[in-house]
Amino acid sequence: MGVKVISPGLSTTVQDLGRHGFYHLGIPMGGGMDMFALRCANLLVGNDEGAAVLEAVYMGPELEFTSDGLVAVTGADMPFRLDGVLQESWARCAVRAGQRLSFDYLKAGARVYIAISGGIDVPIVLGSRSTYALGSMGGFEGRALKADDLMPVLCNTDNSATSGRNLPPNYRREQSATTELRVISGMYMHRITEESRANFFSDVWKVSTEADRIGYRFMGGEKFSFLEREQPFGAGSDPSNIVDTCYPYGSIQIPGGAEPIVLHRDAVSGGGFAVIGTVISADMDLIGQLQPNMETRFVEVSMEEALVARKDRQQLLDRARQQLMN
C-alpha cells in the first residue's frame, strides 16, 4: 500500500515515538508532539504503538490511497472526509484504493495524527522514522511532505478488519479556556527575584506565534527581574545568560528575561540561557495542541505531584489500550 500526497497542508511530517539515546550528542528525541494521540491512532488501525504516522499542524493534508487498508485520525478537532464524506475521528475507517482523504477547517487543538494500517515505511535513522527537519534527518527525505510525494506503507497482514472501532470521548483530554501547565522549579530559579517568581506563576500567558516542534514561546506576562551578580567566566553579559548547561525536555528558558520558552520535541539539548523550571511530562502533550493566543498559566508542583500525574497519565493510556485491543 502507498499514499500519494495531493496537497501537504501547512506542515505535515512523518513521526513516531522518537529516537532515544542520542540527546547527549545534540540530537533531540523528536517524535510526536502529542504522544497519546499518536499511540491511539496506531492502536485503532492495529499497528504497533510506535509505528510511523503523519503529524499535521493547523491544516490537514489531502491524501490519495493506492490500495485498500485502514486509517484513523486522532488529536486535534479537525474533521476529515473520505471522498467528501465526513468520517468519525478517533475511530477506525476502512479505505479503498483510489479514495482521497481530506480535512475541514481546524476547530480545536493544533495537531492531528493520521495512522495507516501497516505504518509509514520510510528509512529508520538512529532507531526512528521521525522527521527532524532542522537536521534534515529521518522521515520522508528529512523534510515536511510536498505535493506528489509517494510514501510506501508497510504491509498489514490483517485484511479482514473493518470500520467501527473507536475511542470514546471520555478518554480524550479536553482543553479549557485557560490551559494549566504544571511545572517543577528549575536549578536557575534562584536567578530571578521573588516578585518575578510570583508573577510567573500568577500571570496569564498567551501562546506566541513562535510555537513549533522546537519550542513554544509565551507572551503577555510581566518581564522577569534578575538578582545582581558578577558575570561568570564563560557566560554572556545578559542577566539571563549562564555558563552552558543541559536542557531537559520541557525546560523553560527566559532569554533576555522577556518571555518564557518551553522546549519541545525538536529542541536543542543545551545552551547558555537560565532554565527556571520544567513542564512535567504529563502535560507536554497539552502543549502540542495549543494554538497561538491561547491563554495559559504555569502551576508549580512538587516532584511527588509530578510523579502522581505521570502515573495517572500512564493509567489512562493503559485503559485506552484495553479499550482498543479488546
Side-chain angles (χ1 to χ4, degrees), residues 227-265:
L227 297 174
E228 291 187 9
R229 66 161 186 186
E230 181 179 342
Q231 182 181 344
F233 177 78
S237 60
D238 189 279
S240 66
N241 291 142
I242 56 173
V243 179
D244 282 6
T245 189
C246 298
Y247 294 152
Y249 169 57
S251 60
I252 306 169
Q253 301 177 345
I254 47 172
E259 296 170 337
I261 300 173
V262 178
L263 302 185
H264 221 290
R265 305 297 302 190

PDB file of all heavy atoms in Angstrom, residues 227-265:
ATOM      1  N   LEU A 227      18.390  38.974  39.953  1.00  0.00           N
ATOM      2  CA  LEU A 227      19.227  39.430  41.055  1.00  0.00           C
ATOM      3  C   LEU A 227      20.590  39.854  40.502  1.00  0.00           C
ATOM      4  O   LEU A 227      21.057  39.316  39.489  1.00  0.00           O
ATOM      5  CB  LEU A 227      19.403  38.302  42.076  1.00  0.00           C
ATOM      6  CG  LEU A 227      18.119  37.816  42.771  1.00  0.00           C
ATOM      7  CD1 LEU A 227      18.434  36.608  43.649  1.00  0.00           C
ATOM      8  CD2 LEU A 227      17.500  38.937  43.600  1.00  0.00           C
ATOM      9  N   GLU A 228      21.200  40.795  41.164  1.00  0.00           N
ATOM     10  CA  GLU A 228      22.517  41.240  40.722  1.00  0.00           C
ATOM     11  C   GLU A 228      23.536  40.113  40.904  1.00  0.00           C
ATOM     12  O   GLU A 228      23.428  39.283  41.796  1.00  0.00           O
ATOM     13  CB  GLU A 228      22.953  42.462  41.533  1.00  0.00           C
ATOM     14  CG  GLU A 228      22.129  43.718  41.230  1.00  0.00           C
ATOM     15  CD  GLU A 228      22.705  44.938  41.923  1.00  0.00           C
ATOM     16  OE1 GLU A 228      23.817  44.844  42.485  1.00  0.00           O
ATOM     17  OE2 GLU A 228      22.029  45.998  41.895  1.00  0.00           O
ATOM     18  N   ARG A 229      24.529  40.126  40.018  1.00  0.00           N
ATOM     19  CA  ARG A 229      25.549  39.077  40.077  1.00  0.00           C
ATOM     20  C   ARG A 229      26.835  39.605  39.437  1.00  0.00           C
ATOM     21  O   ARG A 229      26.839  40.614  38.720  1.00  0.00           O
ATOM     22  CB  ARG A 229      25.105  37.835  39.309  1.00  0.00           C
ATOM     23  CG  ARG A 229      24.996  38.121  37.813  1.00  0.00           C
ATOM     24  CD  ARG A 229      25.000  36.887  36.963  1.00  0.00           C
ATOM     25  NE  ARG A 229      25.044  37.258  35.542  1.00  0.00           N
ATOM     26  CZ  ARG A 229      24.953  36.408  34.555  1.00  0.00           C
ATOM     27  NH1 ARG A 229      24.785  35.126  34.816  1.00  0.00           N
ATOM     28  NH2 ARG A 229      25.028  36.812  33.297  1.00  0.00           N
ATOM     29  N   GLU A 230      27.887  38.894  39.694  1.00  0.00           N
ATOM     30  CA  GLU A 230      29.121  39.125  38.956  1.00  0.00           C
ATOM     31  C   GLU A 230      29.127  38.163  37.782  1.00  0.00           C
ATOM     32  O   GLU A 230      28.927  36.953  37.960  1.00  0.00           O
ATOM     33  CB  GLU A 230      30.333  38.865  39.856  1.00  0.00           C
ATOM     34  CG  GLU A 230      31.665  39.099  39.170  1.00  0.00           C
ATOM     35  CD  GLU A 230      32.848  38.864  40.095  1.00  0.00           C
ATOM     36  OE1 GLU A 230      32.640  38.854  41.341  1.00  0.00           O
ATOM     37  OE2 GLU A 230      33.971  38.683  39.580  1.00  0.00           O
ATOM     38  N   GLN A 231      29.307  38.686  36.573  1.00  0.00           N
ATOM     39  CA  GLN A 231      29.235  37.864  35.379  1.00  0.00           C
ATOM     40  C   GLN A 231      30.240  36.723  35.439  1.00  0.00           C
ATOM     41  O   GLN A 231      31.450  36.949  35.545  1.00  0.00           O
ATOM     42  CB  GLN A 231      29.505  38.711  34.139  1.00  0.00           C
ATOM     43  CG  GLN A 231      29.391  37.934  32.829  1.00  0.00           C
ATOM     44  CD  GLN A 231      29.698  38.808  31.622  1.00  0.00           C
ATOM     45  OE1 GLN A 231      29.703  40.036  31.719  1.00  0.00           O
ATOM     46  NE2 GLN A 231      29.953  38.181  30.483  1.00  0.00           N
ATOM     47  N   PRO A 232      29.747  35.457  35.358  1.00  0.00           N
ATOM     48  CA  PRO A 232      30.661  34.313  35.415  1.00  0.00           C
ATOM     49  C   PRO A 232      31.519  34.223  34.155  1.00  0.00           C
ATOM     50  O   PRO A 232      31.091  34.626  33.074  1.00  0.00           O
ATOM     51  CB  PRO A 232      29.723  33.101  35.511  1.00  0.00           C
ATOM     52  CG  PRO A 232      28.389  33.648  35.852  1.00  0.00           C
ATOM     53  CD  PRO A 232      28.338  35.027  35.285  1.00  0.00           C
ATOM     54  N   PHE A 233      32.695  33.680  34.306  1.00  0.00           N
ATOM     55  CA  PHE A 233      33.546  33.441  33.142  1.00  0.00           C
ATOM     56  C   PHE A 233      32.863  32.419  32.234  1.00  0.00           C
ATOM     57  O   PHE A 233      32.424  31.370  32.677  1.00  0.00           O
ATOM     58  CB  PHE A 233      34.915  32.903  33.577  1.00  0.00           C
ATOM     59  CG  PHE A 233      35.815  32.555  32.429  1.00  0.00           C
ATOM     60  CD1 PHE A 233      36.485  33.541  31.723  1.00  0.00           C
ATOM     61  CD2 PHE A 233      35.966  31.229  32.025  1.00  0.00           C
ATOM     62  CE1 PHE A 233      37.297  33.220  30.646  1.00  0.00           C
ATOM     63  CE2 PHE A 233      36.784  30.900  30.962  1.00  0.00           C
ATOM     64  CZ  PHE A 233      37.453  31.898  30.266  1.00  0.00           C
ATOM     65  N   GLY A 234      32.747  32.760  30.967  1.00  0.00           N
ATOM     66  CA  GLY A 234      32.130  31.850  30.009  1.00  0.00           C
ATOM     67  C   GLY A 234      30.655  32.087  29.791  1.00  0.00           C
ATOM     68  O   GLY A 234      30.049  31.456  28.916  1.00  0.00           O
ATOM     69  N   ALA A 235      30.038  32.993  30.573  1.00  0.00           N
ATOM     70  CA  ALA A 235      28.617  33.311  30.402  1.00  0.00           C
ATOM     71  C   ALA A 235      28.460  34.644  29.695  1.00  0.00           C
ATOM     72  O   ALA A 235      29.321  35.523  29.793  1.00  0.00           O
ATOM     73  CB  ALA A 235      27.910  33.345  31.753  1.00  0.00           C
ATOM     74  N   GLY A 236      27.354  34.819  28.980  1.00  0.00           N
ATOM     75  CA  GLY A 236      27.064  36.082  28.326  1.00  0.00           C
ATOM     76  C   GLY A 236      26.788  37.184  29.325  1.00  0.00           C
ATOM     77  O   GLY A 236      26.570  36.942  30.517  1.00  0.00           O
ATOM     78  N   SER A 237      26.744  38.408  28.826  1.00  0.00           N
ATOM     79  CA  SER A 237      26.579  39.559  29.708  1.00  0.00           C
ATOM     80  C   SER A 237      25.143  39.784  30.146  1.00  0.00           C
ATOM     81  O   SER A 237      24.896  40.424  31.168  1.00  0.00           O
ATOM     82  CB  SER A 237      27.109  40.823  29.017  1.00  0.00           C
ATOM     83  OG  SER A 237      26.395  41.053  27.803  1.00  0.00           O
ATOM     84  N   ASP A 238      24.173  39.274  29.370  1.00  0.00           N
ATOM     85  CA  ASP A 238      22.771  39.450  29.754  1.00  0.00           C
ATOM     86  C   ASP A 238      22.501  38.677  31.041  1.00  0.00           C
ATOM     87  O   ASP A 238      23.011  37.566  31.219  1.00  0.00           O
ATOM     88  CB  ASP A 238      21.848  38.949  28.642  1.00  0.00           C
ATOM     89  CG  ASP A 238      20.393  39.303  28.896  1.00  0.00           C
ATOM     90  OD1 ASP A 238      19.734  38.576  29.672  1.00  0.00           O
ATOM     91  OD2 ASP A 238      19.919  40.304  28.329  1.00  0.00           O
ATOM     92  N   PRO A 239      21.691  39.225  31.952  1.00  0.00           N
ATOM     93  CA  PRO A 239      21.418  38.520  33.213  1.00  0.00           C
ATOM     94  C   PRO A 239      20.808  37.129  33.037  1.00  0.00           C
ATOM     95  O   PRO A 239      20.909  36.287  33.931  1.00  0.00           O
ATOM     96  CB  PRO A 239      20.446  39.449  33.938  1.00  0.00           C
ATOM     97  CG  PRO A 239      20.719  40.799  33.376  1.00  0.00           C
ATOM     98  CD  PRO A 239      21.083  40.571  31.941  1.00  0.00           C
ATOM     99  N   SER A 240      20.175  36.903  31.870  1.00  0.00           N
ATOM    100  CA  SER A 240      19.573  35.584  31.636  1.00  0.00           C
ATOM    101  C   SER A 240      20.590  34.559  31.153  1.00  0.00           C
ATOM    102  O   SER A 240      20.270  33.375  31.047  1.00  0.00           O
ATOM    103  CB  SER A 240      18.450  35.688  30.605  1.00  0.00           C
ATOM    104  OG  SER A 240      18.954  36.045  29.328  1.00  0.00           O
ATOM    105  N   ASN A 241      21.803  34.999  30.856  1.00  0.00           N
ATOM    106  CA  ASN A 241      22.843  34.089  30.375  1.00  0.00           C
ATOM    107  C   ASN A 241      23.531  33.376  31.527  1.00  0.00           C
ATOM    108  O   ASN A 241      23.731  33.946  32.602  1.00  0.00           O
ATOM    109  CB  ASN A 241      23.905  34.841  29.570  1.00  0.00           C
ATOM    110  CG  ASN A 241      23.389  35.360  28.247  1.00  0.00           C
ATOM    111  OD1 ASN A 241      23.749  36.450  27.826  1.00  0.00           O
ATOM    112  ND2 ASN A 241      22.549  34.596  27.584  1.00  0.00           N
ATOM    113  N   ILE A 242      23.881  32.140  31.281  1.00  0.00           N
ATOM    114  CA  ILE A 242      24.616  31.328  32.252  1.00  0.00           C
ATOM    115  C   ILE A 242      25.748  30.623  31.509  1.00  0.00           C
ATOM    116  O   ILE A 242      25.811  30.646  30.274  1.00  0.00           O
ATOM    117  CB  ILE A 242      23.709  30.263  32.908  1.00  0.00           C
ATOM    118  CG1 ILE A 242      23.069  29.379  31.824  1.00  0.00           C
ATOM    119  CG2 ILE A 242      22.638  30.912  33.777  1.00  0.00           C
ATOM    120  CD1 ILE A 242      22.299  28.205  32.332  1.00  0.00           C
ATOM    121  N   VAL A 243      26.633  29.995  32.245  1.00  0.00           N
ATOM    122  CA  VAL A 243      27.574  29.081  31.619  1.00  0.00           C
ATOM    123  C   VAL A 243      26.756  27.903  31.081  1.00  0.00           C
ATOM    124  O   VAL A 243      25.809  27.448  31.718  1.00  0.00           O
ATOM    125  CB  VAL A 243      28.625  28.597  32.630  1.00  0.00           C
ATOM    126  CG1 VAL A 243      29.585  27.612  31.972  1.00  0.00           C
ATOM    127  CG2 VAL A 243      29.382  29.787  33.213  1.00  0.00           C
ATOM    128  N   ASP A 244      27.091  27.431  29.895  1.00  0.00           N
ATOM    129  CA  ASP A 244      26.278  26.426  29.216  1.00  0.00           C
ATOM    130  C   ASP A 244      25.864  25.287  30.143  1.00  0.00           C
ATOM    131  O   ASP A 244      26.640  24.821  30.976  1.00  0.00           O
ATOM    132  CB  ASP A 244      27.032  25.845  28.029  1.00  0.00           C
ATOM    133  CG  ASP A 244      27.012  26.795  26.832  1.00  0.00           C
ATOM    134  OD1 ASP A 244      26.514  27.916  26.979  1.00  0.00           O
ATOM    135  OD2 ASP A 244      27.498  26.400  25.761  1.00  0.00           O
ATOM    136  N   THR A 245      24.597  24.853  29.940  1.00  0.00           N
ATOM    137  CA  THR A 245      24.043  23.758  30.736  1.00  0.00           C
ATOM    138  C   THR A 245      23.191  22.878  29.848  1.00  0.00           C
ATOM    139  O   THR A 245      22.864  23.233  28.710  1.00  0.00           O
ATOM    140  CB  THR A 245      23.197  24.310  31.900  1.00  0.00           C
ATOM    141  OG1 THR A 245      22.832  23.242  32.777  1.00  0.00           O
ATOM    142  CG2 THR A 245      21.916  24.958  31.383  1.00  0.00           C
ATOM    143  N   CYS A 246      22.805  21.727  30.350  1.00  0.00           N
ATOM    144  CA  CYS A 246      21.917  20.822  29.615  1.00  0.00           C
ATOM    145  C   CYS A 246      20.474  21.285  29.741  1.00  0.00           C
ATOM    146  O   CYS A 246      20.072  21.807  30.785  1.00  0.00           O
ATOM    147  CB  CYS A 246      22.051  19.399  30.148  1.00  0.00           C
ATOM    148  SG  CYS A 246      23.695  18.697  29.958  1.00  0.00           S
ATOM    149  N   TYR A 247      19.708  21.103  28.688  1.00  0.00           N
ATOM    150  CA  TYR A 247      18.286  21.449  28.689  1.00  0.00           C
ATOM    151  C   TYR A 247      17.454  20.167  28.710  1.00  0.00           C
ATOM    152  O   TYR A 247      17.459  19.419  27.731  1.00  0.00           O
ATOM    153  CB  TYR A 247      17.906  22.235  27.441  1.00  0.00           C
ATOM    154  CG  TYR A 247      18.514  23.601  27.306  1.00  0.00           C
ATOM    155  CD1 TYR A 247      18.728  24.150  26.051  1.00  0.00           C
ATOM    156  CD2 TYR A 247      18.846  24.360  28.422  1.00  0.00           C
ATOM    157  CE1 TYR A 247      19.260  25.421  25.902  1.00  0.00           C
ATOM    158  CE2 TYR A 247      19.383  25.626  28.290  1.00  0.00           C
ATOM    159  CZ  TYR A 247      19.595  26.157  27.030  1.00  0.00           C
ATOM    160  OH  TYR A 247      20.129  27.419  26.893  1.00  0.00           O
ATOM    161  N   PRO A 248      16.723  19.910  29.763  1.00  0.00           N
ATOM    162  CA  PRO A 248      15.829  18.755  29.742  1.00  0.00           C
ATOM    163  C   PRO A 248      14.622  19.026  28.843  1.00  0.00           C
ATOM    164  O   PRO A 248      14.273  20.179  28.572  1.00  0.00           O
ATOM    165  CB  PRO A 248      15.406  18.613  31.206  1.00  0.00           C
ATOM    166  CG  PRO A 248      15.553  19.982  31.780  1.00  0.00           C
ATOM    167  CD  PRO A 248      16.707  20.607  31.058  1.00  0.00           C
ATOM    168  N   TYR A 249      14.022  17.964  28.366  1.00  0.00           N
ATOM    169  CA  TYR A 249      12.761  18.043  27.607  1.00  0.00           C
ATOM    170  C   TYR A 249      11.717  18.750  28.466  1.00  0.00           C
ATOM    171  O   TYR A 249      11.493  18.384  29.615  1.00  0.00           O
ATOM    172  CB  TYR A 249      12.330  16.620  27.261  1.00  0.00           C
ATOM    173  CG  TYR A 249      10.948  16.440  26.707  1.00  0.00           C
ATOM    174  CD1 TYR A 249      10.535  17.111  25.563  1.00  0.00           C
ATOM    175  CD2 TYR A 249      10.059  15.555  27.308  1.00  0.00           C
ATOM    176  CE1 TYR A 249       9.276  16.912  25.034  1.00  0.00           C
ATOM    177  CE2 TYR A 249       8.790  15.341  26.787  1.00  0.00           C
ATOM    178  CZ  TYR A 249       8.399  16.026  25.649  1.00  0.00           C
ATOM    179  OH  TYR A 249       7.147  15.825  25.123  1.00  0.00           O
ATOM    180  N   GLY A 250      11.113  19.806  27.931  1.00  0.00           N
ATOM    181  CA  GLY A 250      10.119  20.570  28.679  1.00  0.00           C
ATOM    182  C   GLY A 250      10.683  21.717  29.478  1.00  0.00           C
ATOM    183  O   GLY A 250       9.942  22.404  30.196  1.00  0.00           O
ATOM    184  N   SER A 251      11.995  21.967  29.358  1.00  0.00           N
ATOM    185  CA  SER A 251      12.597  23.038  30.153  1.00  0.00           C
ATOM    186  C   SER A 251      12.105  24.411  29.704  1.00  0.00           C
ATOM    187  O   SER A 251      11.731  24.616  28.547  1.00  0.00           O
ATOM    188  CB  SER A 251      14.122  22.972  30.085  1.00  0.00           C
ATOM    189  OG  SER A 251      14.571  23.115  28.758  1.00  0.00           O
ATOM    190  N   ILE A 252      12.109  25.365  30.642  1.00  0.00           N
ATOM    191  CA  ILE A 252      11.580  26.709  30.405  1.00  0.00           C
ATOM    192  C   ILE A 252      12.722  27.707  30.460  1.00  0.00           C
ATOM    193  O   ILE A 252      13.299  27.958  31.518  1.00  0.00           O
ATOM    194  CB  ILE A 252      10.516  27.074  31.453  1.00  0.00           C
ATOM    195  CG1 ILE A 252       9.416  26.005  31.510  1.00  0.00           C
ATOM    196  CG2 ILE A 252       9.907  28.444  31.137  1.00  0.00           C
ATOM    197  CD1 ILE A 252       8.480  26.155  32.689  1.00  0.00           C
ATOM    198  N   GLN A 253      13.043  28.282  29.324  1.00  0.00           N
ATOM    199  CA  GLN A 253      14.072  29.320  29.245  1.00  0.00           C
ATOM    200  C   GLN A 253      13.434  30.697  29.342  1.00  0.00           C
ATOM    201  O   GLN A 253      12.249  30.872  29.049  1.00  0.00           O
ATOM    202  CB  GLN A 253      14.795  29.259  27.897  1.00  0.00           C
ATOM    203  CG  GLN A 253      15.476  27.983  27.550  1.00  0.00           C
ATOM    204  CD  GLN A 253      16.075  28.061  26.144  1.00  0.00           C
ATOM    205  OE1 GLN A 253      15.752  28.946  25.363  1.00  0.00           O
ATOM    206  NE2 GLN A 253      16.952  27.125  25.842  1.00  0.00           N
ATOM    207  N   ILE A 254      14.239  31.700  29.702  1.00  0.00           N
ATOM    208  CA  ILE A 254      13.747  33.084  29.702  1.00  0.00           C
ATOM    209  C   ILE A 254      14.806  33.994  29.065  1.00  0.00           C
ATOM    210  O   ILE A 254      15.395  34.832  29.743  1.00  0.00           O
ATOM    211  CB  ILE A 254      13.382  33.562  31.125  1.00  0.00           C
ATOM    212  CG1 ILE A 254      14.500  33.209  32.127  1.00  0.00           C
ATOM    213  CG2 ILE A 254      12.050  32.978  31.569  1.00  0.00           C
ATOM    214  CD1 ILE A 254      14.279  33.826  33.504  1.00  0.00           C
ATOM    215  N   PRO A 255      15.048  33.867  27.752  1.00  0.00           N
ATOM    216  CA  PRO A 255      16.065  34.695  27.090  1.00  0.00           C
ATOM    217  C   PRO A 255      15.766  36.189  27.256  1.00  0.00           C
ATOM    218  O   PRO A 255      14.661  36.653  26.958  1.00  0.00           O
ATOM    219  CB  PRO A 255      15.954  34.282  25.625  1.00  0.00           C
ATOM    220  CG  PRO A 255      15.347  32.921  25.656  1.00  0.00           C
ATOM    221  CD  PRO A 255      14.412  32.941  26.825  1.00  0.00           C
ATOM    222  N   GLY A 256      16.749  36.924  27.751  1.00  0.00           N
ATOM    223  CA  GLY A 256      16.564  38.352  27.952  1.00  0.00           C
ATOM    224  C   GLY A 256      15.572  38.700  29.048  1.00  0.00           C
ATOM    225  O   GLY A 256      15.267  39.879  29.270  1.00  0.00           O
ATOM    226  N   GLY A 257      15.043  37.690  29.731  1.00  0.00           N
ATOM    227  CA  GLY A 257      14.065  37.933  30.789  1.00  0.00           C
ATOM    228  C   GLY A 257      12.716  38.401  30.281  1.00  0.00           C
ATOM    229  O   GLY A 257      11.894  38.902  31.053  1.00  0.00           O
ATOM    230  N   ALA A 258      12.461  38.226  28.982  1.00  0.00           N
ATOM    231  CA  ALA A 258      11.242  38.790  28.398  1.00  0.00           C
ATOM    232  C   ALA A 258      10.080  37.805  28.386  1.00  0.00           C
ATOM    233  O   ALA A 258       9.042  38.045  29.011  1.00  0.00           O
ATOM    234  CB  ALA A 258      11.530  39.282  26.982  1.00  0.00           C
ATOM    235  N   GLU A 259      10.243  36.688  27.686  1.00  0.00           N
ATOM    236  CA  GLU A 259       9.141  35.749  27.500  1.00  0.00           C
ATOM    237  C   GLU A 259       9.646  34.315  27.659  1.00  0.00           C
ATOM    238  O   GLU A 259      10.659  33.946  27.050  1.00  0.00           O
ATOM    239  CB  GLU A 259       8.520  35.924  26.106  1.00  0.00           C
ATOM    240  CG  GLU A 259       7.881  37.286  25.901  1.00  0.00           C
ATOM    241  CD  GLU A 259       7.487  37.556  24.456  1.00  0.00           C
ATOM    242  OE1 GLU A 259       8.072  36.918  23.548  1.00  0.00           O
ATOM    243  OE2 GLU A 259       6.609  38.411  24.245  1.00  0.00           O
ATOM    244  N   PRO A 260       8.958  33.508  28.465  1.00  0.00           N
ATOM    245  CA  PRO A 260       9.402  32.117  28.651  1.00  0.00           C
ATOM    246  C   PRO A 260       9.198  31.281  27.393  1.00  0.00           C
ATOM    247  O   PRO A 260       8.240  31.486  26.640  1.00  0.00           O
ATOM    248  CB  PRO A 260       8.520  31.613  29.798  1.00  0.00           C
ATOM    249  CG  PRO A 260       7.319  32.498  29.788  1.00  0.00           C
ATOM    250  CD  PRO A 260       7.771  33.824  29.276  1.00  0.00           C
ATOM    251  N   ILE A 261      10.112  30.362  27.161  1.00  0.00           N
ATOM    252  CA  ILE A 261      10.034  29.426  26.041  1.00  0.00           C
ATOM    253  C   ILE A 261      10.119  28.011  26.595  1.00  0.00           C
ATOM    254  O   ILE A 261      11.066  27.673  27.304  1.00  0.00           O
ATOM    255  CB  ILE A 261      11.178  29.640  25.029  1.00  0.00           C
ATOM    256  CG1 ILE A 261      11.140  31.054  24.455  1.00  0.00           C
ATOM    257  CG2 ILE A 261      11.109  28.608  23.905  1.00  0.00           C
ATOM    258  CD1 ILE A 261      12.339  31.387  23.581  1.00  0.00           C
ATOM    259  N   VAL A 262       9.115  27.191  26.271  1.00  0.00           N
ATOM    260  CA  VAL A 262       9.129  25.786  26.673  1.00  0.00           C
ATOM    261  C   VAL A 262       9.690  24.972  25.515  1.00  0.00           C
ATOM    262  O   VAL A 262       9.144  24.987  24.409  1.00  0.00           O
ATOM    263  CB  VAL A 262       7.720  25.284  27.037  1.00  0.00           C
ATOM    264  CG1 VAL A 262       7.770  23.793  27.417  1.00  0.00           C
ATOM    265  CG2 VAL A 262       7.135  26.095  28.181  1.00  0.00           C
ATOM    266  N   LEU A 263      10.792  24.271  25.756  1.00  0.00           N
ATOM    267  CA  LEU A 263      11.431  23.475  24.718  1.00  0.00           C
ATOM    268  C   LEU A 263      10.688  22.155  24.526  1.00  0.00           C
ATOM    269  O   LEU A 263      10.335  21.484  25.495  1.00  0.00           O
ATOM    270  CB  LEU A 263      12.892  23.209  25.071  1.00  0.00           C
ATOM    271  CG  LEU A 263      13.759  24.462  25.277  1.00  0.00           C
ATOM    272  CD1 LEU A 263      15.213  24.065  25.512  1.00  0.00           C
ATOM    273  CD2 LEU A 263      13.654  25.411  24.079  1.00  0.00           C
ATOM    274  N   HIS A 264      10.474  21.785  23.240  1.00  0.00           N
ATOM    275  CA  HIS A 264       9.679  20.585  22.951  1.00  0.00           C
ATOM    276  C   HIS A 264      10.491  19.540  22.202  1.00  0.00           C
ATOM    277  O   HIS A 264      11.718  19.472  22.359  1.00  0.00           O
ATOM    278  CB  HIS A 264       8.390  20.964  22.213  1.00  0.00           C
ATOM    279  CG  HIS A 264       7.186  20.210  22.682  1.00  0.00           C
ATOM    280  ND1 HIS A 264       7.009  18.859  22.438  1.00  0.00           N
ATOM    281  CD2 HIS A 264       6.105  20.592  23.399  1.00  0.00           C
ATOM    282  CE1 HIS A 264       5.872  18.455  22.973  1.00  0.00           C
ATOM    283  NE2 HIS A 264       5.288  19.485  23.565  1.00  0.00           N
ATOM    284  N   ARG A 265       9.878  18.738  21.366  1.00  0.00           N
ATOM    285  CA  ARG A 265      10.473  17.506  20.858  1.00  0.00           C
ATOM    286  C   ARG A 265      11.746  17.713  20.033  1.00  0.00           C
ATOM    287  O   ARG A 265      12.634  16.862  20.048  1.00  0.00           O
ATOM    288  CB  ARG A 265       9.458  16.736  19.999  1.00  0.00           C
ATOM    289  CG  ARG A 265       8.132  16.421  20.658  1.00  0.00           C
ATOM    290  CD  ARG A 265       8.200  15.541  21.850  1.00  0.00           C
ATOM    291  NE  ARG A 265       8.821  14.246  21.610  1.00  0.00           N
ATOM    292  CZ  ARG A 265       8.804  13.249  22.484  1.00  0.00           C
ATOM    293  NH1 ARG A 265       8.213  13.396  23.654  1.00  0.00           N
ATOM    294  NH2 ARG A 265       9.401  12.114  22.207  1.00  0.00           N
TER     295      ARG A 265
END
